[in-house]
């Protein structure tokens, strides 16, 4: 389901696409903005960021990192899967991942996720929300059988010099999630299948043993 605001934003993305810089600038951008983007998403685990839409988490993370904000479903410069680094944004459309053990459907019509880490040549751990609050996820593109995706790299603000881009980013801590977003995330959270990165909760304690009646 897409809101009117989302449709307008996607129209703007078509009108004003980002200009792709050189590969060295893209790599510098990943080192400068990637850690802050990941840090923001990690600090939102277990809560609902903004309105709870998958797009909102990525947009908020870009704004926190002080790079160019998203324009609709355009989060920066497109990069290849082999170039993807932590803090990049993945945009899925009608994707299906299939293995002999399971089938995973993502992005109907679309889905957005923040790359946390690379687990293999085409396998990534991500941070995402909707359905449910912000959580870890995992996608192996070697098992993709349907749909399309785009990987984006955050870009520096217009006019930033290479010297400024090369400077270490400010290590500011993301602001805490509001109580409302925590409560809303608890209310909307759906049961999730266990993953190796999110161990299931411990089982409840056993019931107390019956106490034998005392003799008079």
């Amino acid at each position: 389901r897409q809101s009117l605001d989302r449709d307008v934003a996607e129209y703007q993305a078509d009108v004003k696409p980002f200009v792709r810089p050189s590969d060295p600038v893209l790599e510098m951008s990943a080192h400068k903005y990637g850690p802050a983007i990941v840090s923001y998403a990690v600090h939102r685990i277990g809560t609902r960021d903004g309105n709870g839409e998958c797009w909102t988490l990525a947009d908020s993370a870009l704004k926190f990192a002080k790079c160019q904000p998203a324009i609709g479903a355009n989060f920066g410069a497109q990069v290849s899967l082999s170039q993807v680094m932590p803090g990049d944004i993945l945009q899925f459309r009608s994707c299906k991942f299939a293995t002999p053990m399971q089938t995973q459907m993502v992005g109907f019509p679309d889905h957005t996720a923040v790359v946390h880490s690379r687990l293999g040549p085409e396998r990534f751990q991500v941070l995402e929300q909707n359905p449910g609050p912000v959580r870890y996820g995992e996608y192996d593109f070697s098992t993709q059988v349907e749909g399309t995706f785009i990987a984006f790299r955050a870009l520096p603000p217009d006019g930033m010099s290479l010297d400024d881009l090369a400077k270490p980013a400010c290590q500011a801590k993301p602001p805490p999630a509001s109580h409302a977003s925590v409560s809303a995330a608890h209310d909307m959270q759906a049961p999730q299948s266990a993953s190796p990165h999110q161990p299931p909760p411990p089982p409840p304690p056993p019931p107390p043993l019956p106490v034998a009646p005392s003799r008079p």
Side-chain angles (χ1 to χ4, degrees), residues 85-164:
M85 298 176 68
D88 289 345
I89 309 298
L90 297 176
Q91 183 70 23
F92 302 85
R93 181 171 289 274
S94 304
C95 287
K96 178 180 179 180
F97 299 83
T99 68
M101 300 296 294
Q102 65 176 358
T103 298
Q104 187 179 18
M105 311 295 286
V106 186
F108 287 84
D110 52 38
H111 181 63
T112 309
V114 176
V115 175
H116 176 271
S117 54
R118 180 186 289 272
L119 303 177
E122 298 182 81
R123 183 167 158 243
F124 300 89
Q125 185 178 62
V126 302
L127 290 151
E128 57 191 351
Q129 68 175 4
N130 190 22
V134 179
R135 64 195 182 281
Y136 286 107
E138 190 175 305
Y139 298 102
D140 185 348
F141 288 91
S142 68
T143 67
Q144 182 187 3
V145 294
E146 291 180 11
T148 60
F149 72 91
I150 301 174
F152 291 98
R153 174 73 45 80
L155 294 175
D158 290 336
M160 175 175 281
S161 68
L162 288 178
D163 288 341
D164 287 337

Side-chain angles (χ1 to χ4, degrees), residues 5-216:
D5 290 342
R6 182 74 169 278
D7 291 337
V8 171
E10 289 189 349
Y11 169 76
Q12 291 173 340
D14 292 335
V15 173
K16 183 187 175 183
F18 289 104
V19 177
R20 179 186 171 88
S22 64
D23 284 348
V25 170
L26 284 176
E27 187 170 353
M28 293 169 69
S29 295
H31 291 297
K32 187 175 184 71
Y33 301 115
I37 292 170
V38 172
S39 176
Y40 181 91
V42 168
H43 277 78
R44 290 297 181 270
I45 290 175
T47 71
R48 185 181 70 174
D49 187 67
N51 61 5
E53 291 286 340
C54 56
W55 177 90
T56 302
L57 176 65
D59 180 57
S60 299
L62 294 181
K63 290 176 179 175
F64 170 75
K66 294 182 171 53
C67 50
Q68 289 203 42
I71 304 177
N74 193 333
F75 298 93
Q78 295 185 25
V79 294
S80 66
L81 202 60
S82 63
Q83 292 177 303
V84 168
M85 298 176 68
D88 289 345
I89 309 298
L90 297 176
Q91 183 70 23
F92 302 85
R93 181 171 289 274
S94 304
C95 287
K96 178 180 179 180
F97 299 83
T99 68
M101 300 296 294
Q102 65 176 358
T103 298
Q104 187 179 18
M105 311 295 286
V106 186
F108 287 84
D110 52 38
H111 181 63
T112 309
V114 176
V115 175
H116 176 271
S117 54
R118 180 186 289 272
L119 303 177
E122 298 182 81
R123 183 167 158 243
F124 300 89
Q125 185 178 62
V126 302
L127 290 151
E128 57 191 351
Q129 68 175 4
N130 190 22
V134 179
R135 64 195 182 281
Y136 286 107
E138 190 175 305
Y139 298 102
D140 185 348
F141 288 91
S142 68
T143 67
Q144 182 187 3
V145 294
E146 291 180 11
T148 60
F149 72 91
I150 301 174
F152 291 98
R153 174 73 45 80
L155 294 175
D158 290 336
M160 175 175 281
S161 68
L162 288 178
D163 288 341
D164 287 337
L165 184 60
K167 293 178 182 178
C170 177
Q171 301 297 321
K173 186 177 180 180
S178 67
H179 175 73
S181 66
V182 175
S183 300
H186 181 271
D187 293 340
M188 71 183 291
Q189 187 170 13
Q192 302 290 330
S193 58
S195 77
H197 305 288
Q198 291 177 299
L209 296 174
V211 179
S214 59
R215 296 181 179 180

